[in-house]
Amino acid sequence: MPTEGWSDGGASRPVTGRRPRRLLAGSTTRAEKLRALRGLGVLGGLAGVLVALMILPTACTAGVGARDAAGWFGSEPEDLTTSGVPQRSKILAADGSTIATFFYQNRVDVPLAQIAPIVRRAVLAIEDSRFYEHGAIDSQGTLRALASNLTSGQVTQGGSGITQQYVKNLLLAQADSAAEQRAAKEISAARKIRELRYAVALERRFSKDEILRRYLNIAYYGDGAYGIEAASRHYFSKPAARLDLAEAALLAGVVRYPYAYEPVHHPGVARERRDTVLTRMAELGWIPRAQAEATARQPIRLRVRDVKSGCVTSGAPFFCDYVQREILTSPVFGRTPGEREKLLKRGGLTIRTTLDRRAQRAAQRAVDEHVPPKNSARKAAAEAMVQPGTGEIKAMVVDRRLGADRERGKTWINFAADADHGSSIGMQAGSTFKVFTLAAALDQDLPFGTRLMAPREYTPVGYRDCKGHRVGDPDAELRNSADGEGGRTFSLVTGTQHSVNTFFLALEKKVGLCETVKMAERLGMRQAGGKPLEQYPSFTLGFNPVSPVRLAAAYAAFGARGRYCSPVAIRAIIDAAGHRMKVPGGSCGQALDKDVADAVNHVLRGVLTKGTAKGMGLDRPAAGKTGTVDNFSAAWFAGYTPDLAAAVWVGDPRGGYKYPMEDLCMDGECYGAVFGATIPAPIWRQSMLGALEDTPATPFHAPDSRFFSEGSGEDKTKIPDVRGLKPGEAAARLRAAGFTTDVGAPVESGRYPKGTVAEMSPGPGSAEPGETIVLRVSKGSPNGPGLPDGDPGPGPDDNGRPTPSAPPSTPPPQEPFPTGRPGQHG
């Protein structure tokens, strides 16, 4: 630092003409007088120690012990280290913007070039004006300060130079335990000698500029701000490079007694101290006296900006919490939780993450609009977005603020993550798990046209888990409760589109329970609590509790043509020294063949166009699956494109079975029973549209031709018109066309003779092969014989409803929910 034109000066006087604030005034209390006298006494004692140390080498040349003592004082201390100064860490989004900061001490280390020269002058003027002229020990400055303070009755000048103050701050910053902190602050000759010895060593190790830089970055400036950069941003909302004279003088004055001089809580004293700094700078000739006086007339102008530590105030709080837990739980970052927390809050890390700001905003807006944080029904929603092919988490949201749930609209639980990253024990996945059975079937080369009977009720027997044990309950009856479908055959395509429970139970039995479980495990699925997936027949119905982020990663694998990547949130970590640290990486691998994934995508696209989530498409190639947990205790939607996958959960944090979503009314809007397509699918659609707004659409690959060996799975067959035929003849003709038959209640008919088929449902037209046609036999005319042939139309069915003579329009499918093993909801 240049020193030309700088000169030493005498005791400082306030520029404004105000009398110095005397510590021993008439109004001073007895306690204040005692504290002041103790302070002056300590300073005098330390000055005596300093003088003794300076004369020690010459006064004791005759004694060998004295020579050894002098050699010890001048030698390099073995325990001297300048590392360990706490610096705040920051978490960055993918675009480099800050998500959150972590610190014990709010400090940002900057080079000297990023500290305004006027700041350096102001600090040196009031703390150590001869810094560039003396060595580690400034005897002249120490004695002058002692004399000035004793004659004036107040502490106007310090006895320690910049290097000594740096050492004192360094030892205090490095103190971890309470005992170490007490030792660093104790008032004793031993501590002072230790500090002086360190100062001598540091003067040999570093240049004057480097020592000054380190001092400015370590000093405490009050109100939670450590280091000149953090102080500048805190008090003035600007970097230290842009501080002006008034601001520099204010901060320079704070350093000596930050708890007394900081300007937020003590503005009057802070201004007096600022003016003292200005006076000293003028006396030294470092600024013109007129400039000092003009600056002293200015009021203190603060633009305070608080920087909070942690995720609570983050714009992406639950993603931030996920990253924080990744660091605190991974042995990569330290052997113990304490070491890992120390690294995060003291290590000055720059943590670059995968978060996409656009996706995060879109997801947060979607969940908040559909399930407001303080909604009247106390329901909650969570969503995770994962990039296919990389596993990078692009968004993670909960419709809550991060905080204690004593206040409505807050929670500490990250419902989007596993227990080790958010305390959630997971939620039952419902019918979203059927995709693993579908994938296992296609992996065994079952074609789309594979048809299985889906009875109205299903007894789960004949299953074996992966240990070969028989599992199942012969007394249980699983059914298609919500959709009411059953009693006919479905293909892989139509069974998935309509999400038919008994169809998937039959399919799981055909491909094997263990094969279904292994497929889910290959795609990264495990219970949110960390345990392996439980294996029971209702596995395909989704009784295992899982997290949205794992489900999103599994579905992302289909979008990546079978390449599964475990979820990852951290791209890189740079330490305070600029070195790249080792971070846990996401593992990727081909979980299933590309053509199998293409076939899954083909089937799941139909869910958005013809199935349980019809109308929830994105105007680009997309696929997905609804999920409704038994008793309407929760609802899900998981879907994806080749560019992005997402999973949405909606439920009740208090427990879904105790507070189901049946006949749900929320904030004045009533939904009835909530299925996967009722709330989760609209959240998914809105968030995906926002996240992919500027992303060109990527098409799926067409499935391999072998999957069409038995047709598309959606083929329709003409239903023969068998009205007027005897029941046996009618049934035979329908069976020959590929349909099954059932006989309903007889009906009166003046058109068809008694004993012949009078009605059929569905009527003549087309339907999927294997569909059941219900036949109703005529009882004859209610008016007896002689009526004209024909009647106004088909008569009512056995429930009093008109029976159409033409095929009825297909009702919109509803999502079935599983009746399986109940689970807990976090």
Side-chain angles (χ1 to χ4, degrees):
M1 180 166 180
T3 58
E4 291 81 355
W6 292 16
S7 62
D8 199 358
S12 57
R13 297 184 303 276
V15 176
T16 57
R18 292 193 294 269
R19 293 182 60 81
R21 182 173 180 266
R22 300 183 61 85
L23 295 179
L24 301 180
S27 60
T28 305
T29 66
R30 178 180 177 82
E32 290 173 333
K33 291 176 181 179
L34 289 175
R35 282 197 298 271
L37 290 173
R38 279 200 300 271
L40 294 174
V42 168
L43 186 57
L46 294 179
V49 171
L50 175 60
V51 172
L53 287 170
M54 288 187 294
I55 67 174
L56 177 64
T58 54
C60 303
T61 54
V64 175
R67 286 200 302 270
D68 291 343
W72 169 85
F73 185 78
S75 64
E76 178 87 2
E78 294 181 358
D79 60 344
L80 176 59
T81 175
T82 58
S83 63
V85 177
Q87 296 186 46
R88 74 185 192 189
S89 298
K90 55 186 177 181
I91 298 178
L92 307 181
D95 63 1
S97 60
T98 300
I99 297 173
T101 56
F102 293 86
F103 53 82
Y104 289 131
Q105 296 179 357
N106 179 23
R107 178 183 286 106
V108 181
D109 198 86
V110 292
L112 199 62
Q114 293 182 21
I115 303 173
I118 195 64
V119 176
R120 297 176 241 165
R121 293 188 188 184
V123 171
L124 290 175
I126 198 64
E127 294 297 327
D128 190 356
S129 61
R130 299 182 64 254
F131 173 68
Y132 281 88
E133 301 169 25
H134 63 71
I137 303 171
D138 180 15
S139 58
Q140 177 182 336
T142 299
L143 294 175
R144 183 187 67 247
L146 176 61
S148 173
N149 294 333
L150 289 175
T151 56
S152 67
Q154 61 179 333
V155 181
T156 58
Q157 297 184 35
S160 298
I162 290 293
T163 307
Q164 296 171 49
Q165 291 186 51
Y166 167 61
V167 170
K168 179 180 180 180
N169 280 301
L170 176 64
L171 295 177
L172 184 60
Q174 292 174 335
D176 288 329
S177 66
E180 291 175 340
Q181 292 173 358
R182 287 194 298 270
K185 292 187 291 186
E186 70 175 351
I187 301 175
S188 68
R191 193 211 78 195
K192 190 65 180 179
I193 292 172
R194 180 191 182 203
E195 290 178 1
L196 290 173
R197 185 176 179 228
Y198 281 4
V200 171
L202 290 175
E203 286 272 353
R204 289 198 299 265
R205 183 183 296 184
F206 300 119
S207 68
K208 287 285 189 177
D209 280 355
E210 177 61 15
I211 292 174
L212 178 60
R213 183 196 74 81
R214 288 170 175 263
Y215 171 73
L216 292 172
N217 278 300
I218 202 173
Y220 181 50
Y221 292 83
D223 207 31
Y226 291 81
I228 189 65
E229 181 70 12
S232 179
R233 296 182 188 182
H234 173 66
Y235 290 118
F236 305 113
S237 297
K238 64 169 67 172
R242 293 169 46 205
L243 290 172
D244 61 24
L245 173 60
E247 296 161 344
L250 182 70
L251 294 183
V254 169
V255 174
R256 177 61 58 178
Y257 297 111
Y259 297 99
Y261 293 147
E262 63 90 357
V264 173
H265 300 95
H266 307 288
V269 178
R271 180 170 180 174
E272 289 183 18
R273 180 64 175 168
R274 180 200 68 178
D275 296 348
T276 298
V277 174
L278 294 170
T279 297
R280 180 66 176 157
M281 295 178 74
E283 290 174 346
L284 292 169
W286 294 355
I287 60 172
R289 181 167 295 276
Q291 183 183 14
E293 293 175 347
T295 304
R297 289 192 291 271
Q298 298 177 13
I300 292 177
R301 298 184 179 91
L302 302 179
R303 291 183 60 196
V304 177
R305 183 178 66 182
D306 289 322
V307 177
K308 302 297 184 182
S309 177
C311 298
V312 171
T313 58
S314 170
F318 291 95
F319 178 84
C320 171
D321 187 60
Y322 186 96
V323 172
Q324 175 185 209
R325 290 171 186 260
E326 177 77 10
I327 294 173
L328 296 180
T329 59
S330 174
V332 170
F333 301 107
R335 292 175 299 174
T336 66
E339 288 182 4
R340 298 190 283 267
E341 182 178 5
K342 181 178 177 181
L343 175 66
L344 177 63
K345 295 185 177 181
R346 294 172 59 108
L349 306 180
T350 299
I351 305 163
R352 302 186 184 279
T353 73
T354 61
L355 185 81
D356 183 309
R357 286 285 194 183
R358 178 194 295 264
Q360 179 74 14
R361 287 192 297 267
Q364 192 70 64
R365 188 179 302 115
V367 298
D368 288 348
E369 287 182 7
H370 289 86
V371 188
K374 297 182 180 180
N375 66 82
S376 60
R378 296 181 180 270
K379 304 308 178 190
E383 181 175 16
M385 290 181 151
V386 175
Q387 184 179 57
T390 66
E392 290 191 348
I393 302 171
K394 295 301 180 182
M396 180 176 285
V397 301
V398 175
D399 73 323
R400 296 287 192 274
R401 291 169 56 197
L402 189 64
D405 58 8
R406 293 187 300 272
E407 182 180 343
R408 280 192 62 190
K410 290 185 177 182
T411 183
W412 288 119
I413 299 175
N414 185 351
F415 295 112
D418 285 355
D420 58 356
H421 283 77
S423 302
S424 172
I425 60 175
M427 295 74 68
Q428 287 183 314
S431 294
T432 59
F433 255 46
K434 290 174 181 174
V435 70
F436 304 122
T437 308
L438 172 66
L442 295 168
D443 193 47
Q444 296 178 20
D445 284 338
L446 269 65
F448 296 140
T450 300
R451 294 184 178 275
L452 296 173
M453 183 65 183
R456 291 185 174 86
E457 295 180 352
Y458 193 96
T459 301
V461 294
Y463 296 81
R464 291 183 182 272
D465 63 17
C466 290
K467 294 182 179 180
H469 300 151
R470 292 185 180 274
V471 291
D473 185 356
D475 297 324
E477 289 185 348
L478 306 181
R479 54 177 61 88
N480 304 302
S481 305
D483 62 4
E485 293 192 63
R488 65 184 182 91
T489 63
F490 291 87
S491 69
L492 292 186
V493 174
T494 57
T496 303
Q497 290 176 356
H498 294 268
S499 196
V500 183
N501 287 354
T502 56
F503 171 83
F504 273 94
L505 287 165
L507 183 62
E508 181 185 59
K509 186 174 182 179
K510 182 178 180 66
V511 303
L513 169 61
C514 182
E515 284 66 23
T516 296
V517 172
K518 287 182 177 179
M519 177 60 70
E521 290 175 341
R522 281 155 57 185
L523 292 167
M525 295 310 302
R526 70 182 185 198
Q527 293 192 57
K531 294 181 180 180
L533 299 168
E534 292 191 11
Q535 302 176 26
Y536 294 95
S538 54
F539 179 91
T540 191
L541 306 183
F543 68 82
N544 275 285
V546 300
S547 66
V549 70
R550 284 204 170 269
L551 192 63
Y555 273 66
F558 298 124
R561 304 192 71 196
R563 179 177 171 82
Y564 171 76
C565 295
S566 58
V568 61
I570 301 174
R571 284 181 174 172
I573 298 181
I574 311 300
D575 67 15
H579 302 137
R580 196 180 186 96
M581 297 179 62
K582 180 182 178 181
V583 298
S587 58
C588 295
Q590 199 69 28
L592 67 162
D593 291 343
K594 292 181 179 180
D595 54 358
V596 174
D598 294 338
V600 172
N601 299 337
H602 172 77
V603 175
L604 293 188
R605 291 185 68 181
V607 174
L608 294 171
T609 57
K610 303 175 182 178
T612 53
K614 183 179 180 180
M616 290 292 130
L618 304 178
D619 298 324
R620 66 167 67 208
K625 183 69 187 74
T626 50
T628 308
V629 184
D630 58 313
N631 298 324
F632 299 100
S633 57
W636 289 76
F637 188 84
Y640 57 97
T641 73
D643 304 298
L644 188 64
V648 179
W649 163 83
V650 176
D652 199 305
R654 299 169 295 175
Y657 287 102
K658 187 175 181 181
Y659 301 97
M661 293 189 294
E662 193 171 17
D663 299 323
L664 174 69
C665 289
M666 183 167 57
D667 294 346
E669 184 172 357
C670 293
Y671 297 90
V674 175
F675 298 91
T678 309
I679 300 177
I683 291 175
W684 175 85
R685 183 176 188 273
Q686 179 179 336
S687 60
M688 291 286 284
L689 287 173
L692 296 171
E693 184 177 359
D694 292 332
T695 302
T698 302
F700 289 112
H701 287 74
D704 189 271
S705 60
R706 73 177 187 274
F707 293 107
F708 293 95
S709 62
E710 295 185 17
S712 66
E714 298 178 341
D715 298 336
K716 301 290 185 178
T717 301
K718 183 178 181 180
I719 304 174
D721 187 350
V722 296
R723 289 175 294 182
L725 301 179
K726 293 292 186 180
E729 182 183 359
R733 185 174 295 184
L734 288 169
R735 283 196 298 271
F739 300 99
T740 61
T741 59
D742 196 2
V743 179
V747 295
E748 294 177 342
S749 174
R751 182 172 187 177
Y752 298 103
K754 182 178 180 180
T756 64
V757 175
E759 296 177 7
M760 52 188 295
S761 179
S766 61
E768 296 177 10
E771 188 165 343
T772 299
I773 310 300
V774 178
L775 304 177
R776 292 185 175 89
V777 178
S778 171
K779 294 191 296 185
S781 171
N783 297 319
L787 287 176
D789 289 341
D791 58 13
D797 64 14
D798 55 338
N799 292 315
R801 296 188 297 264
T803 302
S805 56
S809 60
T810 303
Q814 291 180 297
E815 165 64 21
F817 58 84
T819 302
R821 289 167 52 86
Q824 293 176 294
H825 293 251

